[in-house]
Amino acid sequence: MKVKVDELVCEANAVCMGLAPEVFEVDDDDQLHILLPEPPPELQDRVRHAVRSCPKAALSIEE
């Protein structure tokens, strides 16, 4: 699994960070950073949930 963000679409709402803070971080400048672009198996269900929950559909997953 590889997680990607479309930076032109992302509004840094931080929904993903709330669901998977080990993988997503929004900084003080409202920029989303993917801390673990290839999350380990134990985080993948939470990452999928975070991607589905993004209000702007700015996140995607490559399997």
Side-chain angles (χ1 to χ4, degrees):
M1 164 188 284
K2 186 167 185 174
V3 184
K4 294 186 175 187
V5 60
D6 183 336
E7 295 179 9
L8 297 176
V9 177
C10 179
E11 291 183 344
N13 293 305
V15 172
C16 56
M17 188 172 84
L19 295 169
E22 305 89 346
V23 178
F24 303 101
E25 179 181 72
V26 176
D27 66 19
D28 293 339
D29 295 324
D30 288 334
Q31 292 290 316
L32 175 66
H33 300 278
I34 299 177
L35 304 175
L36 295 172
E38 297 182 26
E42 62 269 16
L43 295 176
Q44 291 182 3
D45 286 343
R46 289 175 49 206
V47 169
R48 285 185 183 93
H49 180 61
V51 169
R52 287 191 306 268
S53 299
C54 178
K56 299 303 288 181
L59 298 170
S60 61
I61 295 173
E62 286 182 9
E63 295 286 348

